Amino acid sequence: MERTLRLRTAIAFLLFSLLISPIFGREPLPLENGKSGLELALRKLRTTARLMHTAAHPDDEDGGMLTLQSRGHGVVAVQMTLTRGEGGQNAVGKELGDELGMLRTLELLEADRYYGVEQRFSRVADFGFSKSAEETLTKWDARNTALADIVRVIRTFRPEVVISRFIGDPSDGHGQHQASGILTRDAFRAAGDPTKFPEQIKEGLQPYQPKKLYVRARGDDWNVELDVNSQDPALGASYVAFGWKGLKHQLSQGSANWQMPTRMWTSHYKLADTTIPNYKPGREKDFFDGIDTGLMALASIAPQAESLKAGVQQLDGYVAQATKVADANPKSAAEPLLRGFAKTQELIAAVKKLPISGEQMETLIVALETKRDQFRDAANLALGVTLKAVAELPAMNDVKDPAAQLWLAATPESQFTLRLTSTGMSQFTPAITFPPGAVTQSSWRGNVATVSLSRTAPYTRQYWYRDDPERESIYKISDPEFETLPLTPWPFAAKATYRYKGLEGEVTTTVEVAQPKEHPLIIGPELSVATPSWTAVRSVGASDWTSIPITLKSNERVTNDSPVPHVRLSVPEGWKTNTPRDYGELSTSGKEMHVKGAAFQPANSHEQRAAATAIADLGKQQFEVGYSPVSRDDLGTAYYFRKATQPVSIVDVKVPQGLKVGYIMGVGDDIPDVLRSIGVNVTVISPEELKSGDLSKYGTIVLGIRAHEAREDLRQYNQRLLDFAQNGGTLMVQYVYQTQQFNDGKFAPYPLNISRNNKDRVTVEEAPVEILAQDSPAFQSPNKISQKDFDGWVQERALYCPTEWDSHYQPLLSSNDPGDPPEKGGLLVAKYGKGTYIFNAWSFFRQLPAGVPGAIRLYVNLLSLGHQ
């Protein structure tokens, strides 16, 4: 009972936060303001249609269909994406794993702005490409996780129609796509069954049975054909073109290179299940054929309640009045819209007293609350009412660097000023909303408030986490009340209540910090303590100390009288640690302080995995959590919180003496840092050095991941690298994604054909490996490689392997997923002139940052080829 009450309290706060904006505080698109915005709002008021769309990953969604339904038909739509795409590759930066998942969450939320939909996620993670639904369902424990989450969203959102992007069979390709289709089919019926996931019923959720389920159609076997290429004057574009603008923000997926085809677009879907009695359609005009979606449909939910019917008729009349006058004079629509806003609030209160079933009541409340907010927002558009809430933090004026300003947060036991400004309201009554227990006092003087936070104000950290992201496929949830949301709701919201012609209206907004770009105000620690997310790798037998880079940032104003933090390392018992002596300078809030001298020595010299945690003592408080903003100019901002724990992998590896390695960065990876930590002499080659520098000073040059795709200069000066190899150097190319570009560019010394076919990947990290050339120096020096070196790999073996290659190449390894033929093209070596050329499609860019011992030994051997 206590959990249920706490959950309902949290949900009440959460729903208020979500009503501010379905995409967490982003400003409306230009077309969502003024006359076009009012037209789009009235479309939603005229219908009760609710739709839910499921997919496996960000960028799987049918954006054209969602835009047509939401923008064109006024349907209230939610998109449920099972994973955050954290197992994918990053086309634009270094973020991988959970940080990539947060970046892709922001990218998808930006796409949702264009589609006009809300967003939800499940607890399962993208663990990399999978070739089977069975593997995916097992790794996800899907019947107890993802299925429950889909059911939760159906029971909460209560859509008439559910649409699956995927069918649930091998034609979907990716095993996670297949699982998404299978689970959506199962959830369609399970949501209406009170015996399924009864813990949700105990929490207060009511069963709910949608009326129709559609899946992606194959060939001519379809029921609904949607013309998403039709033009919408309110959008100034076709539905598919407008949705494409949103999709293009998913840059980490490689969208910068995507071009929308010029052909006519249609979306086809097949009716897979329905609970409408005797409904057997052929071709349908829309998903909602056979479903009453007019406003009066609300009364049919509880037909025994005559008072409800009369109230809904009034709502219908207000919408008709507003629609009639809105085009000629938008402001004249405000009065009927505000009357509708007041009436829906009356109806919500009345419905809660009706003698109807829990399912009927929940469905009515959800629908009426949606209408209430639609009336409210449409009235604000008609009047041109807006509200802006800007927080002024005490430390803001001390911070001049824009990146540091983006980082600043309110802290427990601190105080800040909140200033409200508005348009369209001459007078209003202000209010602020915050998480339960976060604020001890807030006082208003006009439109300015002083807000004091409590000692227990919760950090605005992501509510989902994994202890071992490399090996876990299911997130743990720290705040169950936020489960399935895209982000932890922003903690502070402002509301203004105003009067117009004797009627009450209200407008809400997220509290933001205005500089350098507007971003929501969060609650964070007074002192942020951060360590790198990659694994610290150390050689067995190394006698030196291994340093842990530690970064401190203060959210408080720092003066000469401020206490100096004392930093220490928590390490396994018996290990030695150095207490840092040089703390750098923490002269102003928001400025980074890089702590030097924090290091450890293990007690035992053997291969092992462990961890070191940085702790900062400041006065009587201890801090061991750090955070960083995740943002981009075209995106909103989120904050990635992480305990200051750096994984440690102690590896038995021999490093060649005197070998100098040059590394040409691609889209970004951590391989150079790992190599340096075990004693390899690595230099990152600058663009100027690539263009005209002396490359002969290097013994080996390595191209980072997706380098040819990311670097135009590399494509231009590729011949300099081939000349380097021909003259006696070793050149290693690794992980090519734009395979056609590489094939057509003839960037390799001898012909090879790289495949983008998913069957030419080895996705099972435990897949057996055969060493094809045991006598090759790659397996002999400086480290002896055996079968045990392929144990403990993470996520995958190899990806985008060549399927054809010139006879000059020698394949070194063979591996394959269950049921597939041997994949021998993932690691190819060729003599080229006096030197060596290596094409390496094995996923070392994941293995080395994870500290996988065998992968590190093999990689060092590859660097040494031609120099043994």
Side-chain angles (χ1 to χ4, degrees), residues 275-293:
T275 58
I276 301 175
N278 304 315
Y279 188 77
K280 297 179 181 180
R283 302 301 198 202
E284 297 177 282
K285 293 181 180 179
D286 192 68
F287 298 126
F288 294 91
D289 283 11
I291 301 173
D292 183 2
T293 59

Side-chain angles (χ1 to χ4, degrees), residues 625-683:
V625 171
Y627 70 95
S628 59
V630 178
S631 191
R632 207 169 59 210
D633 288 345
D634 64 316
L635 302 179
T637 303
Y639 293 85
Y640 183 73
F641 280 72
R642 182 179 161 272
K643 188 175 180 180
T645 296
Q646 182 162 29
V648 177
S649 179
I650 301 175
V651 180
D652 188 1
V653 58
K654 297 180 180 66
V655 175
Q657 300 301 307
L659 178 63
K660 190 171 184 180
V661 177
Y663 203 94
I664 299 176
M665 298 301 294
V667 297
D669 62 69
D670 292 319
I671 288 177
D673 291 321
V674 176
L675 294 176
R676 291 189 191 102
S677 71
I678 57 173
V680 177
N681 184 355
V682 181
T683 300

